[in-house]
Amino acid sequence: MTSDREQPRPARVRLDLPLAPRRRLLPDWDPDAFGRLTERIARFLGTGRFIVWMTFTIICWLLWNIFAPATVRFDEYPFILLTLALSLQASYAAPLILLAQNRQDDRDRVNLAQDRKQNERSIADTEYLSREVAALRMGLGEVATRDWMRSELEGLLRDLEERSPAREP
């Protein structure tokens, strides 16, 4: 018998099945793709092409708003809209350049760690080879050389000649 106080048990959660994706308020974005985009923009901002295009655009803007008929001018003399556009461009350019620099710093850090590991392996290999060469030199010091064998045989021959009775012809 079940009483009125008993709550129904929740459905058992299966651990072998993935959870259903949750809804998010913000769109999902790939930080690596965003980083690559910022690097491309930062690279473009650092080129002569960007400087030339920016200079050309500003000169055209100024010439249009100074010499065009008053009815088609869109930014009168203190050129507030131009100032606003340049400020907006600078406010986006600075963080994009910083993001690109941070990514470059991360890459440099990884490359430096890999270089250190490679240097450690090279040092270990060099030390091993040095020990092997030293062992070979020590081993060669104990090997009978041709000159040593010749001198030993000559000494034995002299000893034999001295001990044997002299033959008379």
Side-chain angles (χ1 to χ4, degrees):
M1 292 179 126
T2 59
S3 67
D4 293 335
R5 291 185 193 177
E6 287 183 18
Q7 297 289 331
R9 290 185 179 179
R12 185 174 168 158
V13 177
R14 293 191 55 180
L15 296 177
D16 61 337
L17 296 176
L19 293 174
R22 295 181 183 176
R23 288 188 158 200
R24 294 183 180 183
L25 296 176
L26 298 174
D28 194 22
W29 58 283
D30 181 16
D32 206 37
F34 184 72
R36 286 191 302 270
L37 176 66
T38 60
E39 285 177 343
R40 288 175 47 202
I41 292 171
R43 270 193 217 105
F44 176 68
L45 291 177
T47 62
R49 176 184 282 169
F50 172 75
I51 300 294
V52 168
W53 278 109
M54 181 63 94
T55 304
F56 177 75
T57 303
I58 291 171
I59 289 172
C60 289
W61 185 296
L62 293 174
L63 292 175
W64 179 268
N65 286 297
I66 291 172
F67 297 114
T71 57
V72 292
R73 292 181 193 166
F74 56 89
D75 193 16
E76 292 293 327
Y77 165 62
F79 306 114
I80 294 173
L81 188 59
L82 176 63
T83 305
L84 179 66
L86 292 175
S87 297
L88 184 66
Q89 182 265 331
S91 68
Y92 273 96
L96 289 175
I97 291 169
L98 289 174
L99 283 171
Q101 286 177 343
N102 289 341
R103 282 177 53 90
Q104 184 63 43
D105 288 344
D106 292 342
R107 277 194 301 275
D108 290 345
R109 197 173 302 114
V110 168
N111 288 339
L112 184 62
Q114 289 174 349
D115 289 346
R116 282 186 184 144
K117 286 180 184 177
Q118 181 63 37
N119 288 342
E120 289 172 3
R121 284 192 295 262
S122 296
I123 289 170
D125 290 345
T126 303
E127 288 174 354
Y128 171 76
L129 290 174
S130 297
R131 286 191 301 272
E132 289 295 314
V133 167
L136 286 173
R137 284 183 179 168
M138 289 172 48
L140 281 176
E142 298 171 3
V143 172
T145 61
R146 182 176 45 186
D147 293 336
W148 181 80
M149 290 294 290
R150 184 175 294 141
S151 66
E152 289 294 314
L153 288 174
E154 287 173 355
L156 287 173
L157 185 61
R158 269 185 258 125
D159 287 346
L160 284 174
E161 289 174 352
E162 290 174 3
R163 289 186 186 175
S164 67
R167 293 187 190 166
E168 294 180 18

